[in-house]
Amino acid sequence: MVERVTATDAALELIDKLKDKHGPLMFHQSGGCCDGSSPMCYPDGDLMIGKQDILLGEIGSSPFYINKKQYEYWKHTQLIIDVVDGRGGMFSLEGVEGKRFLSRSRAFTKEEAAELQSAEL
């Protein structure tokens, strides 16, 4: 099955470290404003998920959400969550670690897009 969101090994290592410190986590793909368009990491349940948010998948056994409108722009791509040195969003848990999560993406192949479309029916 094609995944709509994945994570690099470096991101998964940081997720494990954050879980050890904070317990279960959740992610939401920020749509801009103060923290730019970056994946935000929270203790599970700290961010209110509404009807406008959809569950894109899981990374590191943590749910990953995105706003429906933003999803419409990115639905043709797989999000690949990575980590780089630097300060993350001020509300995201990884900021104090001197790291920040970063969204990379790649377009789905025609075969992957067809598989995803048939799974949605």
Side-chain angles (χ1 to χ4, degrees), residues 92-106:
S92 195
L93 290 176
E94 80 280 5
V96 298
E97 304 295 328
K99 304 282 185 188
R100 67 182 182 96
F101 289 110
L102 175 74
S103 293
R104 301 182 190 278
S105 64
R106 69 166 186 87

Side-chain angles (χ1 to χ4, degrees), residues 69-84:
K69 286 184 181 181
Q70 190 173 11
Y71 170 75
E72 285 302 313
Y73 291 113
W74 291 16
K75 68 183 177 184
H76 305 293
T77 64
Q78 181 182 58
L79 291 184
I80 304 158
I81 308 307
D82 201 358
V83 65
V84 295

Side-chain angles (χ1 to χ4, degrees), residues 16-32:
D16 286 342
K17 182 177 183 178
L18 293 171
K19 280 183 180 178
D20 288 343
K21 287 185 172 184
H22 303 283
L25 304 174
M26 65 184 295
F27 287 84
H28 192 280
Q29 178 63 44
S30 172

Side-chain angles (χ1 to χ4, degrees), residues 1-2 4 75 108 111-120:
M1 179 69 185
V2 180
R4 291 194 172 277
K75 68 183 177 184
F108 287 118
E111 295 80 15
E112 289 171 329
E115 181 181 332
L116 288 167
Q117 186 176 13
S118 67
E120 290 175 358

Side-chain angles (χ1 to χ4, degrees), residues 22-27 41-47 61-63 65 93:
H22 303 283
L25 304 174
M26 65 184 295
F27 287 84
C41 179
Y42 304 98
D44 194 24
D46 268 18
L47 180 69
S61 299
S62 301
Y65 297 91
L93 290 176

